[in-house]
Amino acid sequence: MSTKDFVEKDYYKVLGVPKDATEAEIKKAYRKLAREFHPDANKGDAKAEERFKEISEANDVLGDSKRRKEYDEARTLFGNGGYRPGPGGGGSFNFDLGDLFGGGGQGQGGQGGGFGGGLGDVFGGLFNRGGAGTRTHARRGQDIESEVTLSFTEAVDGATVPLRMSSQAPCKACSGTGDKNGTPRVCPTCVGTGQVSRGAGGGFSLTDPCADCKGRGLIAQDACEVCKGSGRATSARTMQVRIPAGVSDGQRIRLRGKGAPGEQGGPAGDLYVVVHVDAHPVFGRKGDNLTITVPVTFPEAALGGEVKVPTLGGPPVTLKLPAGTPNGRTMRARGKGAARKDGTRGDLLVTIEVLVPGDLSDKAKESLESYREATVGPDPRAELFQAAKGA
């Protein structure tokens, strides 16, 4: 990622969201576009592949609150690629923004003073560029995002799932050199640095990847037929990924170093896995707790008793139902919920549902009539009407 890219690219426009979009809106927009332009869904479509890269790049920045803040601040400072001088700011400073971003720099024209840290930290943190090591050929691998759908039980207990991913990786045919014979030459334009400087007006200059060698610092003498001299090729691989127990629907898991391989000794990117969880016909979930609704008869609720309740993947538990249990009461079976990070488990929350029979036999009706006569008392709705009248 060059300085020019950083300042001029409008990631909000790439994802089609406003600048004040919420995290949820950004996530929704990214997932929709990623499905549409994913290489697996557009075999051989170079434009779709390039669009997918742009979408992933935009999400890497806007999907992280810290990186998004740094991006917004930098664009506010530099506008659409140019520095905004303060009111009445005259004079000319002739220094390379690459030095400013790299963490050093001595102003020209008698303007001393260093710019160590500061913006170098901002851009270094955003694009994984170190303050002192920007002039090296090593490149960090691309971050990859994938999605996986788990059953309710797999999400609660954890699971190992296979993920098939496509990403840019060093070309195997030329070992990432871009040269058919593995003997590339140093780029004469950038002299192997992979970067060139250009004037930006006002005495400033911007550092961009070299157009001749695409920022690699090397040029193939006999271009590899597979990667056309780029040294990079699309690689598809399947890897086993462990999804931790207790993961929730929509959660985004980061696996460091499991993304695309780096280039020329650079570190691998990261893998982000978005988890989707299927619903369960019996159980629900609230954080670390599982939920279940258990029907009981009127006699059980009125007289009390013991009720057996199923658990997820384990033997049933027996709950003691107190006499006079009302409809909708929630009881707790401890330790029968979802797994937590510390190895403990949440609880199973049992909601009581008192069943009202819709079809009564003559004997049952007679018994209920006797019950009604035996329990005649004050009108239970009297206070309700009194409160309504006084309001």
Side-chain angles (χ1 to χ4, degrees):
M1 180 68 61
S2 69
T3 302
K4 180 175 181 294
D5 285 342
F6 174 63
V7 174
E8 294 185 354
K9 282 191 176 181
D10 189 342
Y11 293 131
Y12 293 100
K13 185 176 180 180
V14 172
L15 295 183
V17 297
K19 289 182 174 59
D20 59 352
T22 63
E23 291 184 8
E25 290 171 337
I26 291 173
K27 178 180 178 182
K28 181 179 180 181
Y30 167 70
R31 287 170 59 180
K32 178 181 178 182
L33 293 172
R35 290 193 187 99
E36 181 180 352
F37 292 99
H38 196 283
D40 288 346
N42 299 273
K43 299 290 187 182
D45 189 338
K47 290 184 178 180
E49 182 177 345
E50 188 63 29
R51 179 79 170 112
F52 180 75
K53 292 178 184 177
E54 292 178 352
I55 294 165
S56 299
E57 181 181 305
N59 183 65
D60 285 343
V61 175
L62 301 185
D64 185 298
S65 58
K66 181 180 178 182
R67 300 174 80 183
R68 180 182 179 183
K69 180 181 178 182
E70 293 168 345
Y71 169 71
D72 289 341
E73 290 176 347
R75 281 183 62 83
T76 300
L77 176 62
F78 289 98
N80 292 323
Y83 173 69
R84 297 177 179 175
S92 172
F93 295 88
N94 185 22
F95 58 87
D96 191 332
L97 282 182
D99 295 330
L100 176 62
F101 298 155
Q106 181 77 13
Q108 301 295 323
Q111 299 296 330
F115 291 87
L119 291 178
D121 295 334
V122 172
F123 297 129
L126 184 59
F127 296 112
N128 301 292
R129 295 174 58 186
T134 57
R135 302 186 187 277
T136 171
H137 301 315
R139 284 186 177 184
R140 180 181 182 275
Q142 180 186 21
D143 289 340
I144 303 174
E145 181 158 317
S146 185
E147 297 181 287
V148 64
T149 299
L150 303 179
S151 69
F152 189 90
T153 302
E154 287 176 328
V156 171
D157 296 334
T160 299
V161 296
L163 287 182
R164 181 173 176 79
M165 296 166 292
S166 297
S167 63
Q168 289 291 307
C171 176
K172 294 183 178 179
C174 63
S175 301
T177 64
D179 190 272
K180 185 177 181 179
N181 301 313
T183 55
R185 61 188 176 90
V186 174
C187 174
T189 303
C190 64
V191 197
T193 65
Q195 298 177 333
V196 293
S197 297
R198 63 181 177 85
F204 284 88
S205 62
L206 294 176
T207 300
D208 295 324
C210 176
D212 292 339
C213 65
K214 303 298 188 288
R216 300 180 65 242
L218 301 172
I219 293 180
Q221 300 186 77
D222 189 0
C224 172
E225 296 177 357
V226 177
C227 66
K228 310 302 180 186
S230 69
R232 307 289 284 180
T234 300
S235 173
R237 56 188 173 129
T238 300
M239 64 183 300
Q240 300 295 318
V241 175
R242 178 64 186 175
I243 305 298
V247 69
S248 57
D249 183 55
Q251 185 171 341
R252 192 168 183 249
I253 301 173
R254 180 184 185 184
L255 301 175
R256 295 181 182 274
K258 298 298 183 181
E263 184 177 357
Q264 298 184 22
D270 298 333
L271 170 63
Y272 293 88
V273 182
V274 179
V275 179
H276 304 287
V277 181
D278 288 335
H280 194 281
V282 174
F283 296 96
R285 185 171 172 185
K286 288 184 178 180
D288 295 332
N289 298 324
L290 301 183
T291 63
I292 186 174
T293 298
V294 176
V296 300
T297 64
F298 176 74
E300 286 176 324
L303 301 176
E306 292 185 343
V307 178
K308 280 192 174 183
V309 179
T311 62
L312 185 67
V317 294
T318 300
L319 295 181
K320 187 174 182 180
L321 204 64
T325 297
N327 182 62
R329 179 174 179 179
T330 298
M331 306 179 70
R332 186 183 299 268
R334 298 193 179 279
K336 300 300 180 180
R340 299 189 179 105
K341 291 182 179 180
D342 61 2
T344 62
R345 302 186 75 93
D347 302 329
L348 176 63
L349 306 180
V350 182
T351 300
I352 301 301
E353 181 182 41
V354 180
L355 296 180
V356 177
D359 186 17
L360 295 173
S361 65
D362 292 340
K363 184 176 180 181
K365 290 180 181 179
E366 183 179 345
S367 298
L368 281 178
E369 287 292 348
S370 299
Y371 170 78
R372 179 160 57 184
E373 292 175 2
T375 57
V376 171
D379 185 355
R381 293 172 290 278
E383 292 184 3
L384 181 66
F385 282 96
Q386 185 177 356
K389 185 181 296 184

